[in-house]
Amino acid sequence: MGEVHRMNDPPADLDDQALLIGIVAGDEAALEEVVRRYHARLWRYVSRRVSGDLALIEDVLQEVFLAVWHGAARFRGEASVAVWIFGIAHFQTLHALRTRQRGADIIEFPEEDSAFAPVIPSAEDAALRRIHLMEALGRLSPAHREVLDLVCLHGFSMQETGEILGIPPGTVKSRLSLARRALVAALQKGARS
Amino acid sequence: MKASCASFRADLPRYVAGTLPAERRESVAAHVATCEECRAEASEWQIVVQAVALAHPHETPPAVAMPDLLEYLHQHIVSEHQRESIMNAANSSSDQNGAEHVAAGRSPRTFPRRLAWGAIPLTVVVALLLVALFLWNAVGGRTSSGGRTVMPVSCHAVRSDAVLQAISFDTSTDGWAGGYYFTNANGTAPPPTDILQAFTPFMAHYTGGCWHEVTLPASPQCGRITGVAALAPDEVWATCGIQPPVGQGIIVDGYIGASFLHLVHGAWQIIPAADGGELRAITMRTATDGWAVGDDAGNSTTNAFAALVFHFDGTVWKPADDPAFAALSLYAIAATSAQDVWAVGTDERGGGFDGNSPGVVLHHTASGWQREPVQPTGGRPEAIAMLSSTQGWAVGAISGGTSPSGGAILSQPGKAAFFQRNTSGWEATQTFLSPDGANPYQLKDVALRSPANGVAVGTGGALFRLSVTGWTSVPSGTGQDLYAVTVAPDGTYWAAGAGGTILSFP
């Protein structure tokens, strides 16, 4: 009794969880604070998924925060609030993309044996390192780009990234590894050409 | 690639991107400095991180985006509220879930939501759920905690007559549980008299497989283990007492004294702390910052109580003194920082343990100890867990009355209670009657992983889980009294109690 009670979550997440408790109690101000904390990060995340389509980004974020408002009671504290919200954003984005495609061309994320989409002949100014990198990144599959973003931009661990995307951490690891090798290989190829 | 590289490689992307948590950054940097292969891989990650950062430079949301979003959400919530008000008028279903929300500790719902269920009478839903729960338990015999299995430890050497009162983990595979068992010189169970000779302290150790009893030094200064704080596999602190647990129905006439038990470098040492009284709880925030609390068992002449409070500075346990300790008996302590320490107990000004002693919470800050009242009258917190200076719970009971008079006077609390801090003190925001509605129901300990994930345990196998919606009773699979719960570094909860009971659950 009264022994050490350790925290597994950083202080920021404890504050986030307190906000979810407020949301469950019907406190709209708590929802506003969640929006203020996550809006810019989620905008950046969703923007990359939908190629900067402003209307679609706004639609997705509306759905994400409505889902937070309605679903806060289902948050069980097993992952951080950030992981939970990004997981919602991931699936809302997929749903929005599928709706936009009207079912004719459903977005399917390829598995890790194909880090690259079909290779497009490189541009004539291949000597430029930056352009090569952009090209290489652009040729990565959406699934590989998304894993890279979550880890390298948003700072999620492999475990957390797996929870957001609903895939095993091992898959996250292999996608990261393939993406890294593909980008480095593309850069080396550009340097030789 | 060295085997030890594997754990570092997983962190290289975030290390290079500068998003790795600070506590991990140093060790990765040290490894990269000495490992050529990881250094090469880190160089590759620099290329990747650069590419990702350059990929979409124009990703700042327009200035109007967030105000527009907030307005949209507000309008949505208002219209939702209006719709539900209309539905509420049509369906005047009552809301009952077995828990009583007391007073103003829980803020009112500004916008009642999700009342589409209002089309179905709530009592019917509750009845169906109860039937389903009964069938689940009857058929499978399994117990669950919030949908998860509660696993009694089956491969342990903990004797079944042990009463475990404290449990603590320093790593996910190194835990300690302490308590006592009744014995006498012949090793047989004694009658519940002559208590001073009847206690034997008991400690069990978990190293990842099973729990095993460990041998403790024989000493009249340690009758039972009351608190445990594990710092490392080879360093454990415990508090010792000699009297039975409060509320156990046994009172002794004399006291030997309070002491500490210290395991260091494989050897147990007894460290006397006070001539009289008892220590009941210990917390070690670090190896050089610990607290232990109890009470002095009352002045032999005046019967006036005072709290025993000790602080450890890395070298010695020093008794603390403060006017706020007067008349108090303390049961539990928690610390979130050197200047944010919490203790709970009762004010025994009336003579001690009469069931009507007001509950109190003590808060230690840079300006000293402050006493915070507990509401309602009769509320008695017995344990506390704090995540920060503002986030945490105290648990205990709300008295249902006093016991029969004559001789020893026993605590006879009524309802299990969860206390939260507000602007004027601590208030019971949720209370629960015992499952049969007749027996006293007490909570004995609480542990928190986060503001929305916690566990509380108590008498009769009481087990409660915290979610964003508050505390909910869940089956524990045991009817034994549970006295202690903690959360291991991997997030696993461990609970311990009478009958040598040890439970673990995610």
Side-chain angles (χ1 to χ4, degrees), chain B residues 112-135:
Chain B
R113 308 194 307 273
R114 290 188 297 279
L115 292 182
W117 284 89
I120 305 171
L122 196 56
T123 48
V124 173
V125 176
V126 172
L128 289 172
L129 288 173
L130 288 173
V131 168
L133 182 63
F134 172 79
L135 291 173

Side-chain angles (χ1 to χ4, degrees), chain B residues 221 242 254-259 272-278 295-297 308 310:
Chain B
Q221 291 168 307
I242 51 85
Y255 302 93
I256 294 175
S259 62
D275 290 338
E278 179 177 69
D295 68 54
D296 66 0
L308 282 182
F310 284 82

Side-chain angles (χ1 to χ4, degrees), chain A residues 163-179:
Chain A
E163 288 170 5
I164 290 169
L165 302 177
I167 59 178
T171 304
V172 174
K173 187 178 178 183
S174 61
R175 284 182 185 175
L176 274 177
S177 180
L178 277 168

Side-chain angles (χ1 to χ4, degrees), chain B residues 416-434:
Chain B
F418 294 90
F419 301 89
Q420 259 190 314
R421 195 176 186 221
N422 58 28
T423 52
S424 59
W426 290 73
E427 186 160 16
T429 54
Q430 277 187 272
T431 61
F432 293 80
L433 282 169
S434 65

Side-chain angles (χ1 to χ4, degrees), chain A residues 19-40:
Chain A
L19 290 174
L20 290 194
I21 292 171
I23 289 173
V24 172
D27 182 359
E28 192 179 339
L31 177 67
E32 287 187 19
E33 181 58 27
V34 171
V35 171
R36 293 184 197 286
R37 289 185 181 196
Y38 283 93
H39 185 258

Side-chain angles (χ1 to χ4, degrees), chain B residues 74 98 143 145 159 208 255 284 309 315 337 342 386 388 423 428 445 489:
Chain B
H74 176 69
T143 58
S145 167
R159 50 190 301 155
Y255 302 93
M284 299 297 295
V309 179
T315 306
S337 73
W342 300 82
M386 298 299 292
S388 70
T423 52
D445 203 6

Side-chain angles (χ1 to χ4, degrees), chain B residues 98-102 376-382 395-401 411-419 428 430-435 437-444 459 462 464:
Chain B
E100 302 171 38
H101 291 268
V102 180
T377 302
R380 291 174 47 141
E382 291 206 23
V395 301
I398 291 182
S399 174
S411 163
Q412 193 176 33
K415 292 179 283 190
F418 294 90
F419 301 89
Q430 277 187 272
T431 61
F432 293 80
L433 282 169
S434 65
N439 289 320
Y441 209 27
Q442 277 179 292
L443 296 174
K444 293 295 187 180
T459 54
F464 290 83

Side-chain angles (χ1 to χ4, degrees), chain B residues 27-81:
Chain B
S27 59
V28 174
H31 176 78
V32 169
T34 59
C35 176
E36 193 173 335
E37 288 172 84
C38 287
R39 203 157 54 242
E41 187 169 323
S43 298
E44 293 186 357
W45 277 115
Q46 281 179 331
I47 295 168
V48 177
V49 168
Q50 182 189 17
V52 171
L54 289 171
H56 293 274
H58 305 296
E59 288 175 327
T60 305
V64 296
M66 190 160 69
D68 284 354
L69 174 61
L70 289 173
E71 178 61 20
Y72 168 84
L73 293 171
H74 176 69
Q75 292 302 331
H76 179 94
I77 291 168
V78 168
S79 62
E80 191 178 56
H81 181 218

